[in-house]
Amino acid sequence: MDRNNSRRQLAAMKQSLFDQGHLDEQFIQLEELQDDANPNFVEEIVTLYYRDSSRLISSLEQTLHFCACGRERNPLDFNKLDTIMHQFKGSSSSIGAKKVKAESTLIREYCRTGNAEGCRKSFQQMKKEYVALRKRLENYFQLVRQAGPMERACRPK
Amino acid sequence: MDDSGDRFPIGMRVLAVDDDPTCLLVLETLLRRCQYHVTTTSQARTALTMLRENKDKFDLVISDVHMPDMDGFKLLELVGLEMDLPVIMLSAYGDTKLVMKGISHGACDYLLKPVRLEELKNIWQHVIRKKKSDPKEKNKTSKLDKTTSESGSGLRSAGAENSDENGKLTKKRKDQDEDEDEDKENGNDNEDPSAQKKPRVVWSVELHRKFVAAVNQLGIEKAVPKKILDMMNVENITRENVASHLQKYRLYLKRISCVANQQASMVAALGSADQSYLRMGGSGHFHNNAFRSFSPNGIISNLNTPTGLNGHGFSPSGLLQLGQSQSFNNSSNDQLKFQPTITPVNQNILQGMPMSIGFDHLQNNSSKGVFPVQNLNTDVKPTFPIPNRFPDQIPKVTTSSSHPPSLGISNNGLMLETHTEGKHGGIGIGYGSSSSSVSSRHSDFSFSMLDQGRHSDNWSSVVPLSGIQTNSFPSSDCFRQTAIPPSDNMASLPLQAGYPGGSLADVHSQGSVFTNSPEYINGNLPFQGWEDRNQDATYHSNITYGSINSLAPVNGAVVPRGQTTSNSTLHRNLDTKFCDPRQMKHAGFADLTECSSSRQPRVNIVSQQKFSNNLGSLEYLASSMMEQEQDKMKLLGGDFICDSYSGGVSL
């Protein structure tokens, strides 16, 4: 049935997200927090995350951009970058965005060592992952809605 | 729930603070899952306000480390000092250094994001633990509370004892029943003595001032509870109360000296809590008992570290740079960023600087790096717990928010440490001005911070802070700036302080202009008057520059350079009672400001208006100014600080 198919699809989708390392344990925990009183909790959180982090992303871009092209530009403001990354990492880890979080850590390291190039490269990488994950999660939630409320948290194998 | 202790963990009231909405929502949900009663806020300042409103309202606080309006550590300190509630830190980073910092600031625990449910399930143990280990405090009369603390707590302690009383108080709380029950059961889950079991001693500004004075007089090393107690000559407090307060104070001082960063947080704290400063406990001679008063306005603790202050607009955390010339700058640097520049000034400049400086600038700092002000930005006025600089201590007035000194040094905790070696008086930094209160608070500037008088040694004339020291600051009186024609006098001053940086200038203008070149400070400092001022004290204490954040040196002194006039009005808000002398200087500064205006748009500080409370801004200004352009400062500082401060200082 459609429903079953949807559910199966959903399970498969989720499984792959985990297998490919895009999501981690935290995501499961979020799903566990979802209940009747809070039926769309996970989706809400993810939506909130993307909305809030988008401004961080643009702020990051701005900070990185400065250095990238400007000669007279001040050198990359590592401190500022680090601050933004700190927050970014925190929220990414709160939704279980594993790869994004890992990239954030990397960027932070580059900040610490003052490696501007590394920062920028890592950022590109992270942004790609960030955007890709969003798409996948959007699909995922769409399917969730289709599959109906029965879908509950279940650990991927 | 909460019918009785049995259910204790259930219904425990938690206040969660995190600027990241995603994390906050997750945290809230997790906490609710644990069946706690959760209140959330994304602003540290708001959290402080809520806590100050009613200490008994919460059992536990969970806060993120990295927040824009106030440093988490600063908040931690303030909460610890003022409310004595267990605080758990939360962060995405768990490096040892950070964790260590959290612990040294008094955190009960340090959790890593993402937080897991299992971890949260056990946090209630901290509440129990705290309650258990804090029985003595409670005994003390709530009287103190009454006067100083919020009405709630005051009531509580005084009569508290009964759940009825608490009941009233707790009415505010959401879980009234819970509280009462809990109180009864747990004898105050919260640190607060919900009146039930142990009347907690509330370290009011006045009380703290006495405490600091006593400590300063005895000398930080020699200060023993018994003697302090005797000197204070206050009823209803026991040696134990003093002992624990002393311990906190010492920690605070230590912290100030090594943690410049805190500034930012301080500011926030400043605004509201006068008392918070009191908690400071640190050895820093806060002399100024006024610190307590800081709270509101960003108590700019003795900015003695003139240099520190000015430079950077004392970034909230770093603000303290003041006085400590040495350490000050360094430590504050972090926070304030401006530190580096200020250093020269530090020594003297801040002395006078009522701190207001920092705050405004702090906010603005962005430009210079002055960070401190910036940090304050959010209202958080750096509460400088300006520990008087005892020769050893100098708690750097890092206004950085971290200062817990309840001084209210909002924001940045400008901990202006007044270097005054001998004098302790130093810190009068009225950090206070924590964000909101700052404006109103000015009066609080309990600058007690630095004994301005002391300054003589260090600052030689360092101006401003000396005034700030306000040993006697009645915390609010001092800055009665109102008299000061807002815009002109102070406004011009503070900022003008030659901010080299421009931004700080604002701060300085207030009084501290000093920052810039220490040389000036000494010589020029009209502030010498500060020392005299100290006597006035009125204004010292008020200097709570802490609030400098936005405050622009209280009277507007912070007025950013060019802005001075306009700003001054801003500062005026501060109510800073600043001594009139400031006003005088103000004129002098006006010039300076002009100069400075070119520099940096400290303006922010000034405009901050917020200062109204935070005289600290002056100090901040001073520091900021100092940093900015040390040379500029000279001009300003000299004149500015001393006299002008009277009025505007810290504002």
Side-chain angles (χ1 to χ4, degrees):
Chain A
M1 299 190 322
D2 277 348
R3 243 231 190 137
N4 281 342
N5 277 345
S6 295
R7 295 222 206 96
R8 243 177 296 146
Q9 236 180 309
L10 205 51
M13 198 187 264
K14 183 152 75 158
Q15 186 64 41
S16 93
L17 277 170
F18 277 93
D19 289 344
Q20 292 169 10
H22 296 290
L23 292 178
D24 62 21
E25 179 68 27
Q26 178 67 12
F27 194 80
I28 302 288
Q29 178 136 151
L30 291 183
E31 288 190 319
E32 279 172 356
L33 283 178
Q34 188 161 286
D35 56 16
D36 290 339
N38 227 339
N40 302 315
F41 180 67
V42 193
E43 186 174 359
E44 274 170 27
I45 289 277
V46 173
T47 307
L48 180 59
Y49 165 72
Y50 274 103
R51 195 185 331 136
D52 184 62
S53 55
S54 64
R55 62 169 177 89
L56 287 179
I57 290 278
S58 53
S59 172
L60 279 170
E61 282 179 328
Q62 198 182 31
T63 311
L64 286 167
H65 181 68
F66 276 147
C67 313
C69 59
R71 23 232 52 84
E72 64 276 60
R73 278 276 175 213
N74 304 336
L76 190 42
D77 189 346
F78 289 111
N79 276 339
K80 180 165 181 213
L81 202 56
D82 188 62
T83 304
I84 304 175
M85 284 319 299
H86 182 111
Q87 177 160 4
F88 198 84
K89 180 178 178 195
S91 38
S92 304
S93 63
S94 290
I95 69 154
K98 195 171 178 185
K99 278 195 181 163
V100 175
K101 176 182 172 185
E103 285 296 336
S104 309
T105 307
L106 209 54
I107 296 182
R108 195 202 184 200
E109 265 316 299
Y110 285 133
C111 275
R112 270 222 280 236
T113 56
N115 184 345
E117 197 49 40
C119 281
R120 269 183 242 119
K121 285 225 176 87
S122 266
F123 172 73
Q124 313 276 42
Q125 202 47 37
M126 185 188 82
K127 184 166 180 208
K128 257 194 343 197
E129 166 63 25
Y130 171 86
V131 170
L133 182 62
R134 177 164 59 195
K135 191 85 191 81
R136 289 182 75 159
L137 285 175
E138 271 171 13
N139 292 344
Y140 176 80
F141 287 121
Q142 203 170 25
L143 209 51
V144 165
R145 271 180 255 125
Q146 273 177 20
M150 305 265 259
E151 196 59 32
R152 281 255 176 272
C154 52
R155 284 171 197 276
K157 298 150 208 64
Chain B
M1 45 179 43
D2 26 288
D3 31 78
S4 46
D6 310 345
R7 312 203 54 206
F8 169 48
I10 294 183
M12 183 175 80
R13 295 153 306 155
V14 182
L15 175 62
V17 191
D18 193 336
D19 63 308
D20 184 332
T22 310
C23 297
L24 193 60
L25 184 53
V26 174
L27 183 62
E28 180 181 0
T29 311
L30 285 168
L31 288 168
R32 285 197 204 279
R33 190 47 78 88
C34 296
Q35 292 185 280
Y36 300 141
H37 186 282
V38 191
T39 307
T40 61
T41 173
S42 60
Q43 302 257 334
R45 274 180 290 118
T46 311
L48 265 176
T49 308
M50 280 197 267
L51 286 166
R52 285 180 176 145
E53 222 177 88
N54 187 345
K55 290 181 190 176
D56 281 344
K57 209 166 180 185
F58 300 104
D59 299 304
L60 178 80
V61 179
I62 297 186
S63 164
D64 183 30
V65 165
H66 236 87
M67 289 189 287
D69 66 333
M70 185 196 280
D71 185 25
F73 294 117
K74 179 95 213 115
L75 176 64
L76 163 61
E77 274 186 18
L78 288 166
V79 173
L81 281 178
E82 288 184 46
M83 294 117 202
D84 204 13
L85 283 173
V87 183
I88 293 180
M89 299 308 293
L90 205 55
S91 173
Y93 293 145
D95 14 328
T96 308
K97 241 184 356 177
L98 270 183
V99 177
M100 188 60 93
K101 193 172 176 187
I103 295 175
S104 74
H105 282 275
C108 289
D109 206 350
Y110 194 106
L111 302 178
L112 226 48
K113 286 183 184 174
V115 186
R116 291 193 314 281
L117 192 66
E118 306 80 64
E119 290 176 329
L120 292 178
K121 284 211 167 121
N122 284 331
I123 58 177
W124 58 268
Q125 59 178 289
H126 301 295
V127 174
I128 297 285
R129 196 176 299 128
K130 215 162 207 211
K131 284 219 287 211
K132 279 204 163 147
S133 66
D134 212 14
K136 303 196 215 145
E137 293 279 331
K138 313 264 171 93
N139 298 328
K140 272 339 165 162
T141 56
S142 34
K143 303 210 185 130
L144 294 176
D145 283 347
K146 277 210 217 150
T147 46
T148 51
S149 53
E150 333 276 359
S151 52
S153 43
L155 292 177
R156 231 185 320 208
S157 39
E161 265 297 298
N162 315 317
S163 34
D164 288 348
E165 289 225 2
N166 289 328
K168 293 194 203 132
L169 297 174
T170 59
K171 289 247 166 80
K172 304 193 212 169
R173 295 188 247 157
K174 305 183 183 161
D175 310 323
Q176 295 172 2
D177 298 341
E178 225 181 75
D179 292 338
E180 294 186 11
D181 287 337
E182 283 181 344
D183 282 338
K184 294 193 192 145
E185 306 290 344
N186 308 306
N188 296 336
D189 288 348
N190 305 331
E191 297 287 325
D192 274 353
S194 348
Q196 301 252 331
K197 307 295 185 331
K198 343 175 199 188
R200 171 179 284 213
V201 172
V202 166
W203 281 89
S204 65
V205 174
E206 188 58 33
L207 201 61
H208 182 75
R209 200 158 48 79
K210 283 195 183 149
F211 170 82
V212 173
V215 172
N216 285 341
Q217 206 164 332
L218 291 167
I220 192 67
E221 287 95 2
K222 291 223 182 72
V224 286
K226 188 80 181 70
K227 290 200 184 137
I228 297 175
L229 186 61
D230 292 342
M231 285 189 107
M232 283 175 69
N233 194 19
V234 171
E235 301 182 338
N236 298 324
I237 53 173
T238 65
R239 196 199 65 80
E240 287 78 23
N241 294 137
V242 173
S244 91
H245 191 71
L246 177 65
Q247 190 180 34
K248 288 187 182 151
Y249 186 73
R250 283 216 180 98
L251 275 177
Y252 167 72
L253 288 181
K254 197 169 7 162
R255 210 162 0 175
I256 301 179
S257 42
C258 44
V259 181
N261 305 315
Q262 310 297 353
Q263 311 278 334
S265 44
M266 297 219 316
V267 176
L270 293 174
S272 43
D274 280 321
Q275 322 207 333
S276 46
Y277 197 80
L278 291 184
R279 292 310 182 102
M280 293 219 329
S283 44
H285 296 294
F286 281 94
H287 295 317
N288 298 311
N289 301 307
F291 278 116
R292 280 283 284 260
S293 19
F294 288 126
S295 43
N297 305 309
I299 317 210
I300 309 196
S301 7
N302 301 310
L303 294 184
N304 288 320
T305 53
T307 49
L309 291 180
N310 300 318
H312 295 296
F314 297 115
S315 35
S317 48
L319 288 184
L320 298 188
Q321 306 236 337
L322 310 176
Q324 308 278 345
S325 51
Q326 341 146 356
S327 47
F328 184 69
N329 289 325
N330 304 319
S331 48
S332 18
N333 282 321
D334 290 83
Q335 301 140 15
L336 301 182
K337 301 250 197 128
F338 44 76
Q339 308 267 338
T341 47
I342 314 195
T343 31
V345 176
N346 295 337
Q347 315 271 330
N348 306 320
I349 306 198
L350 289 190
Q351 309 212 337
M353 304 242 306
M355 309 307 340
S356 38
I357 319 180
F359 302 101
D360 278 344
H361 287 297
L362 295 176
Q363 311 237 335
N364 302 311
N365 297 315
S366 53
S367 55
K368 278 294 197 71
V370 177
F371 190 50
V373 173
Q374 294 291 352
N375 296 319
L376 298 180
N377 306 306
T378 46
D379 299 310
V380 182
K381 298 334 167 109
T383 42
F384 301 91
I386 313 198
N388 292 318
R389 222 8 219 129
F390 303 116
D392 49 329
Q393 298 263 330
I394 309 226
K396 300 276 222 97
V397 178
T398 43
T399 42
S400 46
S401 46
S402 53
H403 284 306
S406 42
L407 297 189
I409 304 201
S410 44
N411 329 322
N412 308 317
L414 286 179
M415 304 249 302
L416 301 176
E417 298 188 304
T418 40
H419 297 292
T420 52
E421 314 267 32
K423 307 268 193 107
H424 308 311
I427 316 212
I429 307 197
Y431 321 111
S433 44
S434 35
S435 48
S436 41
S437 14
V438 174
S439 34
S440 47
R441 304 296 291 232
H442 291 303
S443 49
D444 290 333
F445 292 119
S446 15
F447 261 55
S448 41
M449 310 191 302
L450 315 169
D451 283 299
Q452 302 280 341
R454 294 206 303 183
H455 301 309
S456 46
D457 349 282
N458 298 331
W459 305 319
S460 48
S461 40
V462 180
V463 169
L465 293 184
S466 43
I468 312 215
Q469 307 237 330
T470 62
N471 304 302
S472 45
F473 294 126
S475 49
S476 40
D477 348 0
C478 298
F479 294 107
R480 293 300 175 167
Q481 289 287 348
T482 53
I484 308 184
S487 20
D488 347 46
N489 297 338
M490 307 289 313
S492 36
L493 302 174
L495 304 182
Q496 308 298 336
Y499 338 63
S503 41
L504 275 182
D506 294 333
V507 170
H508 298 306
S509 28
Q510 293 282 336
S512 27
V513 180
F514 345 125
T515 49
N516 292 325
S517 20
E519 354 177 60
Y520 290 96
I521 313 264
N522 300 317
N524 309 326
L525 307 180
F527 272 106
Q528 301 283 344
W530 281 81
E531 315 245 8
D532 299 344
R533 285 278 157 215
N534 292 324
Q535 303 171 3
D536 283 354
T538 46
Y539 102 93
H540 303 309
S541 42
N542 290 324
I543 313 232
T544 45
Y545 294 120
S547 46
I548 309 236
N549 292 325
S550 43
L551 303 181
V554 183
N555 295 300
V558 173
V559 179
R561 303 304 162 114
Q563 312 223 347
T564 47
T565 46
S566 48
N567 295 319
S568 47
T569 41
L570 294 177
H571 305 300
R572 284 327 166 96
N573 299 317
L574 301 176
D575 297 325
T576 48
K577 310 266 194 120
F578 297 154
C579 309
D580 293 35
R582 275 252 221 141
Q583 306 197 352
M584 314 207 305
K585 286 316 178 148
H586 190 69
F589 288 100
D591 296 343
L592 293 175
T593 43
E594 306 288 290
C595 315
S596 32
S597 49
S598 50
R599 300 285 173 125
Q600 304 190 356
R602 281 289 182 91
V603 186
N604 292 328
I605 308 197
V606 175
S607 32
Q608 302 288 353
Q609 300 262 337
K610 297 194 187 168
F611 278 145
S612 38
N613 305 326
N614 308 323
L615 288 184
S617 48
L618 281 182
E619 300 204 333
Y620 286 111
L621 289 179
S623 36
S624 51
M625 303 227 281
M626 305 212 282
E627 300 200 311
Q628 308 281 333
E629 324 245 34
Q630 321 241 321
D631 42 28
K632 293 255 181 208
M633 297 295 311
K634 305 197 246 172
L635 307 180
L636 297 174
D639 301 333
F640 181 65
I641 311 201
C642 303
D643 297 56
S644 23
Y645 269 117
S646 45
V649 180
S650 55
L651 339 176

